[in-house]
Amino acid sequence: MKDAPFRIAFSALMIWGAMATSASAKTLNIVASFSVLADVVQQVGGSHVQVKSLVGPNGDPHQFEPSPDDARNLKDADLAFISGEGLERWFEKLVTASGYQGTPVIVSTGIKLRERQRKGQISDDPHVWNSPLNVLVWVANIEKALSAADPEDADDFRVNAARYIRELRDLDAYAHARIAPVPAQQRKILTSHDAFGYLGRDYGITFLSPLGLSTETEASASEVARLIDQVKAERVKFYFIETSNDPRLVQQIANATGAQPGGKLYAEALSRPDGPAPTYARMFRYNIDLLAKAMVPASN
C-alpha cells in the first residue's frame, strides 16, 4: 500500500501532537480559605485548576484551627485565595507556619463593605458572599489572578467567568422574585450571628441575632434580654440555626419569644457533596427558598 508510510507518519504526528498538548496543559494547584470561595474559584478555573479548601464543608471560618496538612497544602500551592476583610484571622499564622512564599489573593478587594457597630467598635462585615452581586467582584479578581498565573488559559478563564457571571445575575433575580411577594413588615428573621447583612440589604430582610459579625464574640445577659424584647416587639415569627456554629443561644431566645424553627441556613460553608448546598449557587437558592417559605405563611 503506497499510502502506508504516509499513514504511519501521520499517526505518529497526531500522537506527538496529543502528547505535546498534554505536556503544555497546566493545572494550577490552588488553596482557598473556605468552601464557598473554593467553589467559586473552581467555577472560574474549570479544568485548569485543582482546588483544596482549608475549611471544609459545614466548617466555621472564624474559629478554624489549621492542621499540619493544611500547612503542607498551602506551601505547595501555586496560588492561595482568601476572602479577607477580617474573616480568616488565622491565615497569617498559617502562612508563617507553612513557609508559603506567595502573596494570597484577597478576592473581596473592591467590594463596598457594610459597617457594623458593636460595643462602641465599628467593624466591616466580611460575609460578602451572601450577596451574589458581591460575588461578581470575587469573579473578576479570581479571573485576573488565574490569568496572570496561567496566561495560556486566559481565554478559558474569561469564558468561564462570563458564564458564571450570568448565573450570579440569575441568582439575584431569583431572590428578588421569591422575596418580593412577602410584605415588608414580615421580612424579619432571627439567626445565630450577624452573617446575612448583605442578603438583608439586597432583598429587604431584617436579620436579628445575639452574636456579632464573628462566632468568636459573646453576648452578655443584658444584650440577650434586649434582643428577646426586640423579637417580641417586632413579632418575629421564625428563627434559623446555622449549619456551621452552635445553635443553643438562638434556640434559647426562640424559647423565650415563641419564635418557630425555620430550618438550617448555610451562612459560611457549603454542605457535603450529598447535601442540599454543595455549590455556592445551590447554597444561595436553598437559603432563599427556606427564608421565603418561612416568611410567606405569616402573611396568611
Side-chain angles (χ1 to χ4, degrees), residues 18-30 42 44-51 76-79 145-154 156-157 160:
M19 291 175 63
T21 300
S22 177
S24 64
K26 184 174 184 179
T27 300
L28 294 173
N29 184 20
I30 305 292
Q42 186 69 65
V44 179
S47 61
H48 303 296
V49 300
Q50 183 175 358
V51 185
D76 294 340
D78 296 311
L79 281 177
L146 293 179
S147 296
D150 180 12
E152 291 182 0
D153 294 315
D156 286 349
F157 298 143
N160 293 342

Side-chain angles (χ1 to χ4, degrees), residues 11-94:
S11 298
L13 181 63
M14 291 294 291
I15 293 170
W16 178 87
M19 291 175 63
T21 300
S22 177
S24 64
K26 184 174 184 179
T27 300
L28 294 173
N29 184 20
I30 305 292
V31 163
S33 56
F34 69 121
S35 58
V36 177
L37 177 54
D39 177 63
V40 179
V41 174
Q42 186 69 65
Q43 297 294 333
V44 179
S47 61
H48 303 296
V49 300
Q50 183 175 358
V51 185
K52 292 185 175 71
S53 178
L54 295 174
V55 184
N58 299 315
D60 183 346
H62 297 287
Q63 301 193 54
F64 178 65
E65 295 183 4
S67 69
D69 282 344
D70 295 320
R72 284 189 288 270
N73 287 333
L74 179 58
K75 184 177 182 179
D76 294 340
D78 296 311
L79 281 177
F81 289 88
I82 64 173
S83 182
E85 313 307 340
L87 179 70
E88 308 98 334
R89 297 188 185 278
W90 44 265
F91 190 80
E92 186 174 346
K93 290 182 179 179
L94 178 60

Side-chain angles (χ1 to χ4, degrees), residues 236-257:
V236 178
K237 302 294 184 183
F238 288 91
Y239 77 94
F240 288 84
I241 62 175
E242 298 165 17
T243 59
S244 56
N245 54 61
D246 192 329
R248 287 176 294 181
L249 181 55
V250 72
Q251 288 172 331
Q252 174 188 334
I253 295 169
N255 291 337
T257 61

Side-chain angles (χ1 to χ4, degrees), residues 2-205:
K2 293 182 179 180
D3 60 346
F6 171 78
R7 277 193 263 184
I8 293 171
F10 181 75
S11 298
L13 181 63
M14 291 294 291
I15 293 170
W16 178 87
M19 291 175 63
T21 300
S22 177
S24 64
K26 184 174 184 179
T27 300
L28 294 173
N29 184 20
I30 305 292
V31 163
S33 56
F34 69 121
S35 58
V36 177
L37 177 54
D39 177 63
V40 179
V41 174
Q42 186 69 65
Q43 297 294 333
V44 179
S47 61
H48 303 296
V49 300
Q50 183 175 358
V51 185
K52 292 185 175 71
S53 178
L54 295 174
V55 184
N58 299 315
D60 183 346
H62 297 287
Q63 301 193 54
F64 178 65
E65 295 183 4
S67 69
D69 282 344
D70 295 320
R72 284 189 288 270
N73 287 333
L74 179 58
K75 184 177 182 179
D76 294 340
D78 296 311
L79 281 177
F81 289 88
I82 64 173
S83 182
E85 313 307 340
L87 179 70
E88 308 98 334
R89 297 188 185 278
W90 44 265
F91 190 80
E92 186 174 346
K93 290 182 179 179
L94 178 60
V95 168
T96 302
S98 68
Y100 176 67
Q101 297 299 309
T103 300
V105 179
I106 303 174
V107 297
S108 297
T109 300
I111 292 175
K112 184 177 180 181
L113 298 174
R114 168 179 173 263
E115 291 186 343
R116 296 291 290 161
Q117 183 170 344
R118 181 179 171 85
K119 297 180 179 179
Q121 294 185 335
I122 297 177
S123 302
D124 292 327
D125 184 352
H127 304 91
V128 296
W129 58 89
N130 283 315
S131 163
L133 300 182
N134 287 340
V135 180
L136 294 174
V137 178
W138 273 19
V139 170
N141 289 331
I142 292 167
E143 181 197 348
K144 182 179 178 181
L146 293 179
S147 296
D150 180 12
E152 291 182 0
D153 294 315
D155 287 344
D156 286 349
F157 298 143
R158 184 170 61 252
V159 170
N160 293 342
R163 173 197 56 78
Y164 198 56
I165 284 170
R166 291 192 295 271
E167 185 170 358
L168 292 171
R169 294 198 183 280
D170 287 344
L171 289 176
D172 177 56
Y174 180 81
H176 279 292
R178 289 301 313 269
I179 302 302
V182 181
Q185 68 272 20
Q186 294 175 0
R187 299 180 193 174
K188 297 175 182 179
I189 295 293
L190 173 65
T191 58
S192 299
H193 85 295
D194 191 5
F196 291 99
Y198 293 100
L199 191 152
R201 177 200 66 188
D202 288 356
Y203 310 109
I205 303 172

